[in-house]
């Protein structure tokens, strides 16, 4: 049994409330949890972005907008927990320590955001450290890491494998406003570097990509690791 921490982007799980992928993710998460200790950190998605946009239009500061974003991530986490039923610990973990404690139940532990100035990627990266994860997975809307945003630049270079310092160089170019977009936030990238935990970045718009990657090793994904040691399958 391995320990897995997944950053499940809100733009994947709940891009818009009524167009969510929760149902499709339930069997995928249950399948992984049947074999491994599983932590899922849920993002804010379209709901968080809408709230943050409205907060800004009201002249509300970025830190407060972040607090609102955090509430939305926790609301999304609550929805996922309720949908998972018995398979999940029944409460959203509001800190890393709480997540560790909840994991004693052997159920899937779900959390959202915790502190302003970062995204749920950073929450998940630190959680991976705290629970000594074997792998940290970022489930996002692109099939891995490019030197530039592939949705904006046609000639973006794709990395099948890369080192943590290459990752930092790439994500360091992104911004840090509330609701800002990047393949992984810079704090998470720095934590990946110091923790030496391998990171897998994959496209979660097709939910079974996640279980295929972890359980069979079949994946069109980028792997960030310092060593050439095989990361997948678990
Ligand atoms: P997300 O982690 O969802 O950010 O948190 P995101 O980059 O929009 O990712 P996707 O689209 O879900 O994949 C939503 C917002 O909540 C605040 C930030 O403003 C973030 O942009 N947040 C979240 C925090 O301030 N701290 C946290 O720990 C988590």
């Amino acid at each position: 049994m391995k320990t897995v921490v997944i950053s499940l982007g809100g733009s994947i799980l709940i891009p818009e409330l009524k167009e969510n992928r929760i149902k499709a993710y339930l069997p995928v998460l249950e399948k992984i949890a049947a074999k491994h200790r599983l932590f899922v950190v849920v993002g804010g998605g379209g709901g968080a972005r809408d709230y943050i946009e409205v907060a800004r239009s009201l002249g509300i500061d970025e830190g407060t907008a972040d607090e609102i974003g955090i509430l939305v991530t926790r609301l999304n986490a609550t929805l996922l927990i309720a949908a998972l039923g018995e398979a999940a610990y029944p409460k959203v973990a509001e800190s890393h320590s709480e997540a560790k404690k909840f994991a004693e139940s052997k159920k899937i532990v779900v959390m959202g955001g915790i502190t302003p100035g970062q995204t749920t990627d950073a929450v998940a990266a630190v959680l991976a450290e705290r629970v000594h994860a074997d792998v940290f997975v970022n489930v996002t809307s692109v099939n891995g890491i490019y030197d530039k945003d592939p949705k904006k630049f046609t000639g973006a270079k794709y990395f099948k494998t890369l080192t943590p310092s290459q990752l930092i160089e790439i994500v360091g170019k992104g911004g840090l406003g509330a609701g800002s977009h990047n393949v992984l936030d810079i704090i998470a990238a720095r934590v990946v570097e110091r923790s030496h935990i391998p990171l897998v970045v994959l496209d979660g718009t097709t939910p079974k990509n996640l279980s295929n990657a972890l359980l069979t090793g079949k994946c069109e994904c980028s792997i960030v690791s310092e060593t050439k040691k095989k990361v997948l399958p678990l």
Side-chain angles (χ1 to χ4, degrees):
M1 174 175 281
K2 300 270 174 71
T3 298
V4 185
V5 172
I6 298 172
S7 178
L8 188 47
S11 51
I12 293 300
L13 191 66
I14 313 187
E16 296 304 330
L17 191 54
K18 290 185 180 170
E19 289 160 33
N20 68 75
R21 293 188 178 88
I22 296 179
K23 207 168 181 178
Y25 263 99
L26 299 178
V28 168
L29 297 176
E30 283 165 11
K31 201 168 165 188
I32 298 165
K35 294 199 169 152
H36 304 287
R37 190 173 170 227
L38 180 60
F39 295 83
V40 182
V41 182
V42 176
R49 267 194 301 283
D50 288 349
Y51 269 96
I52 289 166
E53 198 183 308
V54 171
R56 283 198 186 121
S57 73
L58 293 169
I60 291 170
D61 63 274
E62 289 293 300
T64 306
D66 280 342
E67 293 286 4
I68 294 167
I70 292 168
L71 289 173
V72 179
T73 64
R74 288 180 176 169
L75 199 56
N76 289 345
T78 305
L79 202 53
L80 178 63
I81 287 173
L84 281 165
E86 282 305 303
Y89 188 82
K91 194 175 168 297
V92 177
E94 294 188 359
S95 67
H96 294 114
S97 312
E98 218 172 47
K100 276 188 85 162
K101 186 83 196 140
F102 293 173
E104 289 169 11
S105 68
K106 311 250 184 275
K107 297 194 177 221
I108 302 171
V109 174
V110 183
M111 65 188 296
I114 51 171
T115 185
Q118 59 174 33
T119 73
T120 45
D121 291 341
V123 176
V126 174
L127 182 61
E129 277 190 321
R130 294 283 303 265
V131 301
H132 307 288
D134 295 281
V135 68
F136 168 34
V137 187
N138 186 29
V139 177
T140 182
S141 57
V142 282
N143 61 350
I145 297 168
Y146 292 78
D147 63 346
K148 309 186 202 52
D149 186 344
K151 289 178 180 160
K152 290 188 195 145
F153 302 92
T154 43
K157 183 183 170 213
Y158 180 70
F159 292 88
K160 182 86 196 134
T161 58
L162 65 165
T163 62
S165 56
Q166 283 176 302
L167 173 71
I168 287 174
E169 200 181 312
I170 292 167
V171 303
K173 294 171 195 153
L176 187 73
S180 73
H181 260 304
N182 211 334
V183 69
L184 191 82
D185 88 14
I186 183 71
I187 304 169
R190 291 202 183 282
V191 175
V192 164
E193 183 180 47
R194 75 176 188 189
S195 71
H196 311 290
I197 295 169
L199 165 71
V200 177
V201 179
L202 57 81
D203 179 0
T205 52
T206 303
K208 69 174 181 345
N209 282 352
L210 175 61
S211 44
N212 280 349
L214 296 179
L215 304 175
T216 72
K218 262 189 241 141
C219 102
E220 194 187 303
C221 54
S222 292
I223 297 183
V224 181
S225 172
E226 266 161 11
T227 66
K228 298 242 178 286
K229 220 174 113 194
K230 201 162 165 255
V231 174
L232 299 174
L234 289 176

